[in-house]
Amino acid sequence: MCKIKIINGPNLNMLGQREPGIYGSATLSDIEKMIQNEAEKEHIETAFFQSNSEGDIVSAIQAAQTEGVDGIILNAGAYTHYSIAIRDAIAAITVPVVEVHLSNVYAREDFRHISVISPVCKGVIAGFGPASYLLAMQAFIIKGS
Ligand code: DQA
């Protein structure tokens, strides 16, 4: 059994209402249910966390180290682009982190082209809407990835 922690950052609790032309109509709860369904098929245990606060996200990343988590799927929202504290938390643990984004951040504003967390993540998946999270889960399932 593999355990994956899914961490969502600021404003992702607003999915469904927030800029649907960019982020789609699914709510965070819809996305978590979709992840849960796929995880069950693969016998993966999940833990979901969302916060709008940088410090809470740092603490959730640190806690993964002692929670027996095998991997983290992280959508850090806007913190992706400037939070050195979140970058340092990822670098401080041995649990691999896959960075995800619903939107293709590279097709958007210049400030979204910079991720301060990518260099300390195992990989990055962006632009596939809610499926970005499922693709990230695959990254933990596929042997040798
Ligand atoms: C996002 C992209 C970020 O630039 C933005 O600040 C978000 C969501 C995404 O999932 O596409 O909040 O991480």
Side-chain angles (χ1 to χ4, degrees), residues 23-24 26-27 30-31 34-35 101-102 128-135:
Y23 297 114
T27 64
D30 293 336
I31 292 173
M34 182 193 72
I35 296 168
H101 301 284
L102 293 151
F128 298 96
S132 290
Y133 293 86
L134 301 185
L135 293 167

Side-chain angles (χ1 to χ4, degrees), residues 10 12 18 23 75 77-78 80-81 100-103 105 108 112:
L12 293 161
R18 177 192 180 197
Y23 297 114
N75 186 345
T80 303
H81 312 301
V100 303
H101 301 284
L102 293 151
S103 64
V105 284
R108 300 181 62 196
R112 294 184 208 276

